[in-house]
Amino acid sequence: MTERVIDRIADIADQMREQASEAEKVGQLTDQTVKSMKAAGNIRLLQPAKYNGLEVHPREFAETVMATAALDPSAGWVNGVVGVHPYQMAYADPRVAEEIWADDPDTWIASPYAPGGVATPVDGGYIFNGHWQFSSGTDHCDWIILGAVIGDKEGNPAMPPVHLHMILPRKDYEIVDDSWNVVGLRGTGSKDIVIKDAFVPSYRTMDSTEVMDGTAQRKAGMTLPLYLMPWSAMFPLGISSAVIGIAEGALAAHLDYQRDRVGANGTAIKDDPYVMYGVAEAAADINAARQELLANIDRVYDMVEAGKEVSFADRAAGRRTQVRAVWRAVSAVDQIFARSGGNALRMDKPLQRYWRDAHAGLAHAIHVPGTVYHAAALSSLGVDPQGPLRVMI
């Protein structure tokens, strides 16, 4: 049986846990963690086989992200965010993948996708300027994908806005070193990015709308189901999987902490039926979140593999499931943390870090339920949502 990445991560579990606290101190993944993840192949899970990628089922990607996040939340988060970029590069212009991976298939690609920059058309491409927040794992990445709007000759956004994904090498952008001082997921090193008058050739751009609606994949002639998966199923999958993995890590830390704990009234916690009830309920909710997320990606993959269209209503239902699963998992973390006593607040206890990291992950834009739930409910009534209700679906 072929060894999987998740098996390699299990073999270095103790090392991953130890590095997690160090990553929080330095504000980015440690070099040792990155070395281990590259050796294991975490970021090559969705990478094309041509460039030593593994082309796994999205379920296996999600399971690996969860396992990594349970050991080291920040490493799991980077696995989920950075690890999805090879899926998109598979259907970018072939010259891009060649530039990124020809010499080193373990080259990592950062983001973010928020349209924080303006791309002004010039001969052969664009002059690009902008400022972005939240570039997770960026210190360990040599390329980046950034969201942009096309601008006019004066560098102002053209109207109506046209959104692009711009792909740049490390030499063309600046990482703002002191820009990640936060309460949770500190080890992700999700720093700001600044670009000043960088030239981006046209072949290193992708139309954002075509990426999100699947046109880009079809134009590129993709045939593998993995690379025909909807962007709105794949990109959030890594982030949502990371948060659920963090919740699983929190539960494990909680059980380890409570095993021999005695409460203020002198009663062993394992003999307190009220705490045991809460622990069992939280464990069931975290497991439900996990199974719900995995079943959801299985459902979408099966549709794609069968050659069926994944409609907007299907995608909206999938996003609803992703969002709800994460909220359920983080709510369960709150339940166990509230039953852990005052000593769980101490900074030398891992449980408080899992609690902070889980809430930091919940704050990501893809986990905001309002418009996702609204769109999913309308779709279930046969109404086709428009405007902002279609964002990230």
Side-chain angles (χ1 to χ4, degrees):
M1 183 177 179
T2 304
E3 184 184 32
R4 301 184 304 161
V5 174
I6 196 170
D7 301 321
R8 297 170 192 156
I9 291 299
D11 290 340
I12 56 171
D14 290 341
Q15 175 192 302
M16 293 290 289
R17 290 192 192 95
E18 291 170 3
Q19 293 295 307
S21 58
E22 181 63 22
E24 175 156 293
K25 294 176 184 176
V26 300
Q28 64 186 62
L29 295 187
T30 66
D31 291 341
Q32 180 59 55
T33 293
V34 172
K35 181 180 179 180
S36 298
M37 291 174 70
K38 287 187 175 183
N42 289 66
I43 308 302
R44 289 187 284 109
L45 287 163
L46 304 180
Q47 196 160 306
K50 179 180 178 180
Y51 296 102
N52 204 28
L54 303 176
E55 295 183 349
V56 304
H57 190 296
R59 179 189 183 96
E60 185 174 338
F61 170 66
E63 290 172 331
T64 306
V65 171
M66 290 178 189
T68 304
L71 300 170
D72 179 345
S74 289
W77 183 268
V78 171
N79 193 167
V81 175
V82 176
V84 83
H85 297 147
Y87 145 85
Q88 183 177 347
M89 292 303 95
Y91 52 87
D93 187 298
R95 287 174 286 182
V96 179
E98 190 68 18
E99 287 180 319
I100 295 173
W101 291 314
D103 295 329
D104 182 4
D106 278 316
T107 298
W108 290 7
I109 308 162
S111 50
Y113 291 92
V118 177
T120 303
V122 295
D123 288 343
Y126 301 86
I127 296 298
F128 194 29
N129 289 276
H131 188 154
W132 296 258
Q133 296 178 313
F134 310 123
S135 183
S136 296
T138 199
D139 287 293
H140 300 289
C141 297
D142 293 311
W143 285 76
I144 199 165
I145 306 169
L146 294 169
V149 293
I150 293 180
D152 57 25
K153 293 180 179 179
E154 284 72 42
N156 299 311
M159 299 302 289
V162 177
H163 294 85
L164 297 175
H165 293 167
M166 316 290 283
I167 307 163
L168 299 90
R170 179 69 184 82
K171 65 180 179 61
D172 288 348
Y173 58 92
E174 174 191 350
I175 298 171
V176 182
D177 284 331
D178 60 351
S179 57
W180 188 240
N181 185 18
V182 290
V183 70
L185 291 173
R186 293 176 59 85
T188 64
S190 301
K191 300 175 182 177
D192 288 15
I193 300 296
V194 174
I195 289 181
K196 297 178 181 178
D197 296 328
F199 173 72
V200 182
S202 297
Y203 74 87
R204 282 209 253 111
T205 71
M206 301 178 77
D207 184 292
S208 175
T209 300
E210 291 189 351
V211 169
M212 293 184 187
D213 69 12
T215 302
Q217 294 91 314
R218 293 191 295 273
K219 282 185 175 180
M222 295 292 99
T223 56
L224 283 179
L226 171 61
Y227 300 125
L228 290 171
M229 288 288 288
W231 194 87
S232 64
M234 293 298 293
F235 176 69
L237 178 65
I239 297 171
S240 298
S241 297
V243 180
I244 292 174
I246 293 169
E248 292 178 326
L251 177 62
H254 176 76
L255 293 174
D256 185 59
Y257 172 66
Q258 295 282 45
R259 191 165 284 112
D260 299 314
R261 179 173 164 245
V262 176
N265 61 0
T267 301
I269 294 301
K270 62 185 177 183
D271 294 327
D272 186 330
Y274 305 109
V275 173
M276 293 298 98
Y277 179 97
V279 170
E281 186 174 59
D285 280 343
I286 292 170
N287 181 62
R290 176 191 183 87
Q291 302 307 328
E292 192 173 28
L293 192 72
L294 294 176
N296 182 61
I297 200 64
D298 282 345
R299 178 182 67 87
V300 178
Y301 187 89
D302 289 347
M303 292 177 66
V304 172
E305 189 175 40
K308 298 179 180 178
E309 178 191 358
V310 184
S311 67
F312 180 86
D314 293 324
R315 300 197 306 271
R319 288 285 294 118
R320 175 200 64 203
T321 298
Q322 290 171 336
V323 171
R324 183 57 194 152
V326 169
W327 278 80
R328 179 179 288 113
V330 176
S331 294
V333 173
D334 285 342
Q335 291 299 313
I336 56 178
F337 192 70
R339 290 170 170 81
S340 296
N343 281 318
L345 297 168
R346 298 188 183 279
M347 297 303 285
D348 62 348
K349 301 292 185 184
L351 187 55
Q352 50 78 27
R353 174 164 43 81
Y354 279 104
W355 181 72
R356 289 185 288 109
D357 290 349
H359 279 276
L362 186 64
H364 193 284
I366 68 160
H367 293 143
V368 176
T371 55
V372 171
Y373 286 1
H374 190 175
L378 286 177
S379 295
S380 68
L381 294 172
V383 178
D384 187 24
Q386 298 297 319
L389 294 180
R390 302 184 77 86
V391 174
M392 285 193 275
I393 295 176

